Amino acid sequence: MKLNRYLFKIHRILSWLLVPLMAAVIISGYSYTRKIQLVHRGAAFDLHNQLELPLILLLVAHVMLAARFELMRFHIRGRTVDFFLLILGIVLGLSAIYVDGRIPR
Ligand code: HEM
């Protein structure tokens, strides 16, 4: 089925994008909390804050798609499963956007 192939490719790209993003979040986090002079402390703080939301959104997309493919292995598939994962992904993504933009520090 074409949808499966597209989603598989999308999942692969998103998963590998997560690797440098995760590394950047970890390195920038340590750069502003510890005495590591990899990045200037102020820049590290900004970078860390700005990458927070993209990381969470990408992680949500990754986990939803990974869950879809894992469930397929157990023959748990179909429109209901896709709908459930899509709604769950949207709810988690919107929650992250809400917390990021609306909840004060
Ligand atoms: C709650 C966290 C996570 C869960 C539950 C999860 C789950 C999974 C699962 C089940 C797969 C296998 C998918 C398949 O082959 O069908 C997978 C693959 C992968 N994950 Fe994650 N993952 C998580 C976090 C991460 C993070 C943080 C990164 C990156 C830093 C990451 C990077 C990858 C990569 C690169 C693959 C291989 C994709 C491919 O080449 O097909 N994952 N993940």
Side-chain angles (χ1 to χ4, degrees), residues 8 11-12 15-16 18-19 22 59 62-63 66 69-70 73:
F8 188 81
H11 176 240
R12 207 156 234 187
S15 303
W16 287 102
L18 256 180
V19 176
M22 189 88 191
L59 192 61
H62 171 59
V63 172
F69 290 116
E70 289 304 315
R73 289 188 196 196

Side-chain angles (χ1 to χ4, degrees), residues 78-97:
R79 283 193 182 175
T80 313
V81 176
D82 285 351
F83 181 72
F84 174 76
L85 291 173
L86 185 65
I87 296 297
L88 185 60
I90 290 172
V91 168
L92 291 174
L94 288 178
S95 306
I97 291 170

Side-chain angles (χ1 to χ4, degrees), residues 10-47:
I10 290 170
H11 176 240
R12 207 156 234 187
I13 294 166
L14 293 186
S15 303
W16 287 102
L17 280 177
L18 256 180
V19 176
L21 191 55
M22 189 88 191
V25 169
I26 291 171
I27 291 169
S28 59
Y30 276 130
S31 296
Y32 87 82
T33 55
R34 309 288 168 100
K35 287 194 170 170
I36 301 169
Q37 287 300 308
L38 279 176
V39 189
H40 184 271
R41 197 162 257 192
F45 180 76
D46 289 341
L47 192 66

Side-chain angles (χ1 to χ4, degrees), residues 59-72:
L59 192 61
V60 168
H62 171 59
V63 172
M64 292 306 120
L65 284 167
R68 183 180 187 270
F69 290 116
E70 289 304 315
L71 289 171
M72 279 175 85

